[in-house]
Amino acid sequence: MTADPFRIRDHVASFDDIVDDIRTRSIATRRTVAMEANVAYGREPGETLDIFLPSGTGSDMPIHMFIHGGYWRMFSKEDYSCVAETVTRAGAVAAIVDYALMPMARMDVLIGQVLNAKAFLLAHADRFGATPSRFSVSGHSAGAHLATFLFNRSVAPSGVVAAFLLGGLYDLAPLQTSFLRDEIALSDEEVRRFTPMHREHDPATRVAIMTGGLETHPFKIQANAFRDILAAQGLEVRASHIIDGDHMSTVRDLAVVGTPVAAALHAFIANNASEKPR
């Protein structure tokens, strides 16, 4: 039987070790980086985010929101506090977001939650010494999928200067025949409504799409296809690859000083968070 290309632990031998490392790093981050935990962005108990502040805080700082992955069904903001290390080193306020998990909640709820988190941060950026005109977002895997909904095209500007998408999922249809069929049971309606490749995006948002060279084939195919779709819609988009990176090592390396992934996120924030959307 051919291995399911979406079952990550079948393709990353060190899956559990990497997850343990990420969680250990996140514990250290919460101990060493100034933070405000469990800030409510909505009315439900789980609708919270953690704010991490760079050293030498001031006013009008950039603010960067990170959305974790886990195929919409696992992990939490606490697991990924470590991403704030790189974000705050770049001089930005980091907001690590929690959202409800499938299958108890459906995809429309999750997307509504990350949109509400963005709206909260834009409305209250000054509370954290930041400015809404310097808002950017990143996400990994399912988090990259959710992040795309923050810069959909609408009558009003999205307010997202730039988006950093790592190992993302941009076409949901193949997941209906993957191992996730029994875990989250995506409906045809959810695939139709919530596949990023089917949607229009804000041409004012600059996008960086990154994949690991050791990712399975569908992740690479989807990244390239989504890059072309965004470019055709008028967005400034760049795609890059981490040659020896897999689906899990790349997200761990977001927090590891000296790795190409951390350097890319640091440069992304420094280069994009200084300008308002076009």
Side-chain angles (χ1 to χ4, degrees), residues 33-34 51-58 61-62 84 87-94 128-129:
V33 179
I51 295 290
F52 295 84
L53 301 172
S55 59
T57 56
M61 291 184 294
V87 175
T88 55
R89 281 198 305 271
V93 174
F128 310 111

Side-chain angles (χ1 to χ4, degrees), residues 24-156:
T24 298
R25 291 176 181 276
S26 292
I27 291 170
T29 296
R30 293 196 296 275
R31 289 173 176 167
T32 59
V33 179
M35 68 173 295
E36 183 175 347
N38 298 318
V39 177
Y41 66 79
R43 296 182 178 180
E44 296 300 317
E47 293 179 342
T48 60
L49 51 85
D50 292 340
I51 295 290
F52 295 84
L53 301 172
S55 59
T57 56
S59 59
D60 296 333
M61 291 184 294
I63 187 163
H64 181 83
M65 174 175 157
F66 175 77
I67 308 172
H68 71 80
Y71 281 133
W72 308 279
R73 84 216 194 286
M74 63 185 294
F75 297 130
S76 70
K77 62 180 172 60
E78 286 81 10
D79 294 322
Y80 284 93
S81 301
C82 60
V83 176
E85 292 277 358
T86 297
V87 175
T88 55
R89 281 198 305 271
V93 174
I96 314 297
V97 178
D98 242 353
Y99 54 88
L101 299 179
M102 299 180 76
M104 296 301 292
R106 298 312 304 173
M107 188 69 75
D108 60 331
V109 173
L110 278 60
I111 290 170
Q113 288 176 324
V114 297
L115 287 169
N116 287 343
K118 181 189 83 166
F120 171 85
L121 291 169
L122 292 176
H124 300 280
D126 59 348
R127 169 178 164 183
F128 310 111
T131 176
S133 68
R134 306 174 73 185
F135 178 87
S136 60
V137 65
S138 62
H140 171 247
S141 194
H145 164 269
L146 294 173
T148 68
F149 290 86
L150 272 60
F151 59 97
N152 276 186
R153 187 194 297 267
S154 63
V155 175

